[in-house]
Amino acid sequence: MGFHIFCIFASMRAVIQRVSKASVTIEGNVKSAIGQGFLIFLGVCEEDTMEDVDWLVKKIANLRVFDDENHVMNRSIIDVQGEALVVSQFTLYASYKKGNRPSWFKAGSHEHSIPLYEAFCQKLSEAIGKPVGTGEFGADMKVELINDGPVTICMDTKNKE
């Protein structure tokens, strides 16, 4: 009998921040940097599928949180020709019910998460019509950002209604 990590109420999670600029630095070298757009922290659960990727990409690409000419949040990242930076974030699955040290048993394994993370980045790039900046899966990353607004949206594929 093999060991299987089971994620109760499986869902892909994203924290989307509207930014003026953002960057990811690994071992002193800037891996990716963007101007106006979205910094997206993406968490993958073992039960997530390509259906979750497709839904989340479509939702984020069409999310209307950029100002129009009347200063109303009515434009998408596509409308403003914004950029995106996607950082893998297994800590979005922190379990903190017992004790004070979180555990991440709900986060997906590398073998499961990396292909979905890469698919998400590729599909988002196609949706917004430009390359998407990335971090490095499993690396110690230093993330810098200027949150514009601030605007921060949390999405979870289990809450599709």
Side-chain angles (χ1 to χ4, degrees), residues 64-84:
R64 295 178 1 195
V65 295
F66 293 92
D67 289 350
D68 64 14
E69 62 279 354
N70 298 314
H71 304 289
V72 175
M73 286 195 281
N74 201 29
R75 291 190 173 150
S76 71
I77 191 170
I78 297 167
D79 297 332
V80 300
Q81 299 178 356
E83 298 177 278

Side-chain angles (χ1 to χ4, degrees), residues 54-147:
D54 292 339
W55 182 86
L56 199 54
V57 164
K58 183 177 179 185
K59 206 64 164 161
I60 291 171
N62 293 292
L63 186 64
R64 295 178 1 195
V65 295
F66 293 92
D67 289 350
D68 64 14
E69 62 279 354
N70 298 314
H71 304 289
V72 175
M73 286 195 281
N74 201 29
R75 291 190 173 150
S76 71
I77 191 170
I78 297 167
D79 297 332
V80 300
Q81 299 178 356
E83 298 177 278
L85 173 56
V86 182
V87 176
S88 61
Q89 188 75 46
F90 76 93
T91 61
L92 292 177
Y93 286 99
S95 176
Y96 44 84
K97 284 188 169 195
K98 291 178 80 178
N100 293 315
R101 183 171 182 244
S103 68
W104 292 278
F105 68 90
K106 293 180 181 179
S109 67
H110 281 204
E111 295 76 23
H112 181 73
S113 299
I114 291 172
L116 290 176
Y117 169 79
E118 290 173 349
F120 177 88
C121 293
Q122 179 60 42
K123 288 178 179 258
L124 184 61
S125 175
E126 293 166 7
I128 68 172
K130 56 180 60 176
V132 167
T134 63
E136 184 177 309
F137 201 93
D140 180 20
M141 297 175 271
K142 307 301 179 208
V143 180
E144 292 186 75
L145 69 136
I146 297 179
N147 191 322

